[in-house]
Amino acid sequence: MSEAPDRLPMEWIAGSLKRERARAGLSLSELAKRAGIAKSTLSQLEAATGNPSVETLWSLGVALGVPFSALVEPPVSAVQVIRAGEGPTVASERASFAATLLSACPPGARRDVYHLRMEPGVARESEPHIPGTVEHLIVCSGQVKAGPRGEGVELNPGDYLTYRGDVPHSYEALTPGTTFVLVMQHV
């Protein structure tokens, strides 16, 4: 898979991190410690000079008790269209995996919608998300093996899978050009 172009404005992440860290009442040091990242890395992200991986942002979201989308969602107008290949995209540093946020939770709702693309190779291992998270996955193209660790299920285009996202889980492309939609529900 070719690398995703850099479409994730760092100003969105920096502003979101500052907002959520202040809401949680955490210092830079405390949040970095809870997320298992270097304080200097967090400082760079809040200054909009870092280049975070999906793993770093997930760790920060879990440490802050917020969904991943709360850290990467763009400002939204009343009508929003995201064309194929557009939208805020974050790549994994451990697998051929990129997540594009399609829809973040509006106030009062707790669900996020992603379009994911993945190539065969290394599986994307995901640590537990915030408690109560449930994932819903629909395969668009290719084949994917997904689900909680030790309970992965092979899926084909059109197949739907739901499972707890607050336990370790993984995604693995079985064929080139695998794409799927992932809805993360936060209860």
Side-chain angles (χ1 to χ4, degrees):
M1 168 165 66
S2 63
E3 288 227 6
D6 183 16
R7 292 187 295 254
L8 190 61
M10 289 308 304
E11 293 77 25
W12 296 349
I13 292 174
S16 296
L17 282 171
K18 290 175 192 173
R19 177 190 69 234
E20 294 301 331
R21 186 170 62 79
R23 180 196 53 77
L26 298 173
S27 66
L28 272 172
S29 296
E30 182 60 25
L31 177 55
K33 179 181 171 185
R34 289 183 184 188
I37 64 171
K39 180 181 173 183
S40 60
T41 299
L42 180 56
S43 180
Q44 288 174 346
L45 293 177
E46 286 197 2
T49 59
N51 187 18
S53 68
V54 70
E55 291 84 4
T56 298
L57 292 175
W58 279 118
S59 294
L60 286 165
V62 169
L64 289 164
V66 300
F68 173 83
S69 62
L71 302 180
V72 299
E73 64 188 341
V76 179
S77 66
V79 175
Q80 183 178 14
V81 175
I82 299 175
R83 302 284 181 203
E86 295 179 354
T89 301
V90 182
S92 171
E93 60 187 19
R94 298 184 207 148
S96 180
F97 177 93
T100 301
L101 177 66
L102 300 178
S103 175
C105 295
R110 300 204 29 109
R111 59 100 188 111
D112 305 317
V113 181
Y114 297 91
H115 181 261
L116 302 160
R117 58 187 167 79
M118 193 170 196
E119 296 296 330
V122 178
R124 165 69 173 107
E125 299 291 334
S126 181
E127 295 303 316
H129 303 306
I130 60 177
T133 299
V134 175
E135 294 193 0
H136 305 267
L137 187 151
I138 302 168
V139 179
C140 301
S141 62
Q143 293 178 305
V144 65
K145 182 177 181 180
R149 287 190 192 149
E151 300 178 52
V153 177
E154 291 186 18
L155 304 165
N156 295 305
D159 289 348
Y160 164 80
L161 172 68
T162 186
Y163 52 90
R164 290 180 53 194
D166 58 1
V167 298
H169 54 283
S170 66
Y171 319 93
E172 180 181 3
L174 302 177
T175 60
T178 295
T179 61
F180 50 99
V181 172
L182 179 70
V183 178
M184 293 186 71
Q185 172 185 319
H186 310 284
V187 186

